[in-house]
Amino acid sequence: VHKIIEDGRVSVRNIRREANDHLKKHEKEHELSEDNLRRAMDNIQEMTDDYIKELNQMQTTKEKEILE
């Protein structure tokens, strides 16, 4: 269970990195303002935190099921 959840966390973080890189590219090309870049990156971080929290809860629940 731990390995599967950790793989999920890594995947979420990779998606975050790709999204941030994509946004930075648009900012460099002047298609996105610096303020909008910061706002979008903050939103992506919030979503990342939410999904990782959900994965952690799933792990805890499944580990309890297995141990019972």
Side-chain angles (χ1 to χ4, degrees), residues 1-51:
V1 173
H2 180 76
K3 171 86 171 102
I4 293 169
I5 296 297
E6 184 59 33
D7 290 346
R9 288 187 204 112
V10 169
S11 294
V12 169
R13 290 182 190 120
N14 286 338
I15 293 167
R16 175 189 61 195
R17 188 189 69 242
E18 290 171 10
N20 285 343
D21 290 347
H22 185 74
L23 289 169
K24 288 175 187 176
K25 177 183 166 200
H26 284 291
E27 194 261 340
K28 276 187 176 180
E29 295 172 355
H30 304 289
E31 296 173 4
L32 189 63
S33 72
E34 195 173 322
D35 289 340
N36 286 337
L37 171 67
R38 175 60 41 207
R39 195 172 304 119
M41 289 177 70
D42 288 346
N43 288 339
I44 290 170
Q45 184 60 48
E46 285 178 31
M47 289 174 34
T48 300
D49 293 343
D50 290 343
Y51 282 115

